[in-house]
Amino acid sequence: MLYAAEGGGGAGGFTPILMIALLFGVMYFMMIRPQQKRRREAERMQSTLAPGDEVVTIGGLYGTVAGVDDDTVLLEVAPGVQTRYARPAIARVVTQAERAESTEPTDAATAGAEIVKE
């Protein structure tokens, strides 16, 4: 009779493993995945810095990008005052400088087309 009572507890050994797997799944989707997404966005923002962008450093200093190197950014914090920062020290871009874009048509069919109002 004692053996029959223990036989029903065989499924109970699977429950802790399932709970641990569920805990890791929740931690991944609630903590790890959003942090990875924020890191990718920060790296993309730091790689697209260009002269003329207004930025804020992680220390709260506002400045305008005067130059960009591989690992550093030269910020103008006041007229004639420039400081050098590591790229990861840039927290966010406040205003992006206007980039020169090509206004030429992309295909030959629209290259010679003109709009004429009658």
Side-chain angles (χ1 to χ4, degrees):
M1 183 141 203
L2 185 61
Y3 180 73
E6 291 178 8
F14 183 68
T15 303
I17 295 172
L18 180 64
M19 293 300 285
I20 291 171
L22 184 63
L23 178 65
F24 280 116
V26 167
M27 296 242 333
Y28 175 77
F29 283 107
M30 298 292 284
M31 297 175 70
I32 298 170
R33 190 168 175 231
Q35 182 62 31
Q36 288 175 342
K37 184 179 178 184
R38 281 191 295 272
R39 185 69 221 148
R40 278 192 304 264
E41 289 173 358
E43 286 174 358
R44 187 186 61 214
M45 179 269 305
Q46 291 165 358
S47 68
T48 60
L49 288 174
D53 290 348
E54 293 182 27
V55 297
V56 178
T57 66
I58 56 175
L61 182 72
Y62 283 77
T64 303
V65 177
V68 178
D69 290 335
D70 290 337
D71 297 331
T72 60
V73 177
L74 188 64
L75 292 183
E76 185 171 358
V77 294
V81 179
Q82 294 182 348
T83 56
R84 185 171 304 276
Y85 288 89
R87 274 186 189 249
I90 305 301
R92 65 183 170 99
V93 176
V94 177
T95 307
Q96 283 190 341
E98 299 209 10
R99 310 282 195 264
E101 295 184 17
S102 175
T103 58
E104 297 178 18
T106 56
D107 61 3
T110 59
E114 293 181 19
I115 300 174
V116 178
K117 290 188 178 182
E118 296 182 25

